[in-house]
Amino acid sequence: MTQRLLEIARRFADSHVDSAGVAATPFPGVVILRQTAPTPLQYAINKPLVAMVLQGNKRVTMGSNSFDFGVGESLLITAEVPTVSQITQATAAAPYYSLVLELDPAVIESLVTDMGSAPFSAHAPVRVDPTETEVADAALRLLRLLDRPAARTVLQDPLMRELHFWLLSGRHGGAIRALGVADSHAQRIGRAVSMIRAGFAKPLRLQQLATASGMSHSNFHAHFRSITSLTPLQYQKQLRLIEARRSMLADGAPIAVAAYAVGYESVPQFTREYGRMFGMPPAREIREARARLQSAA
């Protein structure tokens, strides 16, 4: 089954991959990643997702915890937390492929209602486990619809729902279920995270976030850290730095422009905090990125 899933994913990704190594599928929230060589460190804040590795190996770090995983294993992220990732095994002859599914809160909430009471848990927001047979089977049947547009119209939604069902029924279930339990701490903190992401360049108003989450200031702070592994201020800072890095490296924004655009009032402060997070000051990273592009040209 895994080999067949790889074959279909490979065929589609090889034909549709973009310059970033992402092949978007017709299914909402589903992409196939493809890389032909190990990658530099990549910094991101992802939505809750499951990533099934079909070929190659990857390392993901959250805080002080690192996870190495490969074929037959899945990465689960259940909160919008900053991660550092790197594909560690990939070649032109045997590229890295993974199937990534963003978890749909509406589907999860509907399934939780239909499945009835069951325990949910606030696990660490990032974990790695073996991919379960039922999940791989549902993913295979979903990808088989890529070449069948008529069938896709009818079967896509039921298969996406089934895929979420098996995730909820498996070893990931307790952590995923919390995303679909109405008014759970995960949902409340999710509202605060959405507010921070929407206005990350603005000053952080903790009381406003706590009120939106329906919690006292102290409870909000404790639950935010429990679910995201960061304080709200640390979360905002990492979000700002990741966005500034993207704008400088991808869009060519000058350092000062990028710093002010994400809410910094001091370029020296921005430079110090950038260096602490990414291991080098922004000017040096920009020079090294340009040198890599010139050598590859």
Side-chain angles (χ1 to χ4, degrees), residues 22-276:
V22 178
T25 75
F27 313 120
V30 178
V31 300
I32 300 169
L33 303 184
R34 175 185 184 271
Q35 292 291 342
T36 58
T39 63
L41 296 178
Q42 299 170 328
Y43 298 81
I45 297 181
N46 297 295
K47 293 182 178 180
L49 58 79
V50 171
M52 292 172 266
V53 177
L54 308 177
Q55 184 166 280
N57 291 86
K58 190 171 189 176
R59 176 180 297 122
V60 170
T61 299
M62 185 202 70
S64 59
N65 298 316
S66 291
F67 305 86
D68 289 280
F69 55 105
V71 179
E73 294 180 303
S74 292
L75 169 75
L76 172 68
I77 300 179
T78 54
E80 297 183 43
V81 293
T83 58
V84 184
S85 62
Q86 182 178 33
I87 292 169
T88 55
Q89 181 180 326
T91 65
Y96 170 89
Y97 293 98
S98 67
L99 177 64
V100 179
L101 165 70
E102 285 188 1
L103 298 173
D104 188 326
V107 173
I108 294 170
E109 187 166 350
S110 173
L111 284 168
V112 166
T113 300
D114 291 347
M115 293 166 71
S117 61
F120 65 91
S121 54
H123 287 293
V126 178
R127 58 186 293 181
V128 170
D129 282 304
T131 303
E132 291 167 313
T133 301
E134 295 86 354
V135 173
D137 177 63
L140 174 59
R141 285 182 283 117
L142 182 69
L143 289 195
R144 280 176 172 160
L145 299 180
L146 288 170
D147 298 327
R148 301 173 183 177
R152 190 166 68 229
T153 303
V154 177
L155 299 177
Q156 170 181 312
D157 290 347
L159 278 173
M160 290 287 283
R161 183 177 171 85
E162 181 187 346
L163 188 49
H164 281 76
F165 171 83
W166 289 120
L167 288 166
L168 277 166
S169 300
R171 59 175 62 87
H172 295 315
I176 296 174
R177 176 175 286 268
L179 299 174
V181 175
D183 213 34
S184 66
H185 290 143
Q187 283 202 352
R188 293 184 183 192
I189 295 302
R191 292 198 293 269
V193 165
S194 296
M195 291 174 66
I196 296 173
R197 296 194 70 162
F200 66 85
K202 300 175 182 177
L204 198 64
R205 303 192 183 282
L206 290 175
Q207 188 55 55
Q208 184 181 17
L209 294 172
T211 300
S213 303
M215 300 180 186
S216 68
H217 187 283
S218 58
N219 281 341
F220 168 72
H221 198 276
H223 286 298
F224 192 99
R225 186 156 196 167
S226 172
I227 288 171
T228 69
S229 78
L230 300 168
T231 67
L233 187 60
Q234 290 170 333
Y235 188 96
Q236 182 199 48
K237 181 185 295 185
Q238 293 199 19
L239 185 61
R240 285 178 168 184
L241 292 170
I242 288 170
E243 172 57 23
R245 183 175 186 267
R246 185 206 62 76
S247 67
M248 289 185 296
L249 298 183
D251 300 339
I255 294 172
V257 170
Y260 293 136
V262 299
Y264 278 88
E265 297 179 355
S266 164
V267 174
Q269 180 188 1
F270 168 75
T271 299
R272 286 194 301 272
E273 293 183 355
Y274 189 101
R276 281 197 290 269

